[in-house]
Amino acid sequence: MARGLRGGPALSAAPDRTGRFAPSPTGTLHLGNLRTALLAWLYARAQGAAFRLRVEDLDAGRVRPGLEAAQLADLAAIGVDWDGPVVRQSERLERYGDALGVLDADGALYPCWCTRAEIREAASAPHGDLPEGHYPGTCRRLTAAQRAERERSGRPPALRVDAGAARIAFTDRLRGPRSGVVDDFVVRRNDGAHAYNLAVVVDDGAQGVGEVVRGEDLLDSTPRQLWLGGRLGLPAASYAHVPLVLGGDGARLAKRHGAVTLADRIELGETPAAVRGRLAASVGLAAPGEQPSPAQLVERFDPARFEPGPSGPLPGV
């Protein structure tokens, strides 16, 4: 039985609809990021829930000075506000260490010395219930002698969870019933950095996030995160995976697609209100050219009936 984490919400309490947005300060937010943030904000505000902001800055080597402030300014400019202080993952390492301690005490961790090449080779081979591309638990099956040999090599191991190929089912607001098999994923890298899946689960639990609204590219990570939250004794959030904004070539929107940031659009003569209207119109919440206020969008938004359509380009971008 997993022990609960210190400092989180009461584990017996049903999660509310508190939402969040969690950008990484590794690049300027583009219109796709801003639309996802706006939708996450609308899901929370339309249900009378709090909205949290978290900066995912664990990957210190990729964090760029000044980007956090620029991202927060862009969010505020299109009308996205938040409750409470901004949370930064780089300031929460002790919490992630606590979570690893809970998993270790529960017998759910093992060291993994596999190189990337070894992982690719192992993941490409058939391995029972796990889908192709999932880690098959190579280091979990090491004998004591094999483990001792790897320890003597001096190469630091990553830490993986022993998920037992658990199948996790959930219902996504927009995608309907889903399920996935959980492989033995990494929760601490071999350089000592805490992995994304660990940090996001711990932070959502600590911030009382009851509904996660994010891009559909993260849909496949949901079974892992639900499984991990369960092992840590945290309430399960609900999920809504929204469509991505694509470039004209059908790929996920990126800087190479042209004027795709708020600053770019302002330079072309658009106001932040016009950009907000463009984002709202792309998911049926405004007429083309309309510039509804944030309050008007909250009044129009019905989470139970929202149907944003498939991923695609923004008209005129």
Side-chain angles (χ1 to χ4, degrees), residues 139-195:
C139 284
R140 172 169 39 83
R141 298 190 297 267
L142 295 176
T143 65
Q146 289 172 326
R147 181 172 293 191
E149 179 183 358
R150 283 160 176 75
E151 289 173 346
R152 288 193 297 270
S153 73
R155 188 172 72 212
L159 287 179
R160 291 184 181 270
V161 295
D162 182 356
R167 178 168 288 277
I168 300 296
F170 65 100
T171 299
D172 186 272
R173 262 196 194 265
L174 298 175
R175 310 296 166 183
R178 310 284 298 200
S179 68
V181 176
V182 182
D183 65 340
D184 292 1
F185 59 94
V186 169
V187 287
R188 193 191 71 193
R189 302 185 330 204
N190 63 3
D191 62 0
H194 300 99

Side-chain angles (χ1 to χ4, degrees), residues 203-277:
D203 290 338
D204 282 346
Q207 292 187 280
V209 173
E211 183 157 56
V212 176
V213 179
R214 59 189 183 184
E216 64 184 358
D217 55 322
L218 294 171
L219 181 61
D220 289 344
S221 68
T222 306
R224 287 178 168 183
Q225 292 168 15
L226 285 169
W227 178 91
L228 183 57
R231 292 303 293 257
L232 292 172
L234 298 172
S238 60
Y239 289 83
H241 287 87
V242 300
L244 302 178
V245 174
L246 305 180
D249 57 0
R252 186 165 55 180
L253 195 67
K255 288 177 64 176
R256 69 178 183 276
H257 290 117
V260 297
T261 69
L262 181 59
D264 292 336
R265 305 313 299 181
I266 290 173
E267 189 173 342
L268 291 175
E270 290 187 43
T271 64
V275 172
R276 180 177 61 243

Side-chain angles (χ1 to χ4, degrees), residues 69-185:
Q71 291 178 340
L72 301 188
D74 282 356
L75 292 171
I78 65 166
V80 171
D81 62 354
W82 52 89
D83 301 293
V86 175
V87 168
R88 296 172 184 82
Q89 289 186 331
S90 59
E91 299 170 354
R92 300 169 60 79
L93 302 184
E94 185 177 357
R95 281 187 180 269
Y96 309 142
D98 287 346
L100 291 177
V102 170
L103 295 169
D104 190 39
D106 202 31
L109 295 181
Y110 65 89
C112 174
W113 288 271
C114 289
T115 64
R116 290 183 180 180
E118 290 168 339
I119 291 170
R120 284 195 300 270
E121 182 178 355
S124 65
H127 33 71
D129 295 332
L130 291 172
E132 183 178 347
H134 283 53
Y135 182 75
T138 306
C139 284
R140 172 169 39 83
R141 298 190 297 267
L142 295 176
T143 65
Q146 289 172 326
R147 181 172 293 191
E149 179 183 358
R150 283 160 176 75
E151 289 173 346
R152 288 193 297 270
S153 73
R155 188 172 72 212
L159 287 179
R160 291 184 181 270
V161 295
D162 182 356
R167 178 168 288 277
I168 300 296
F170 65 100
T171 299
D172 186 272
R173 262 196 194 265
L174 298 175
R175 310 296 166 183
R178 310 284 298 200
S179 68
V181 176
V182 182
D183 65 340
D184 292 1
F185 59 94

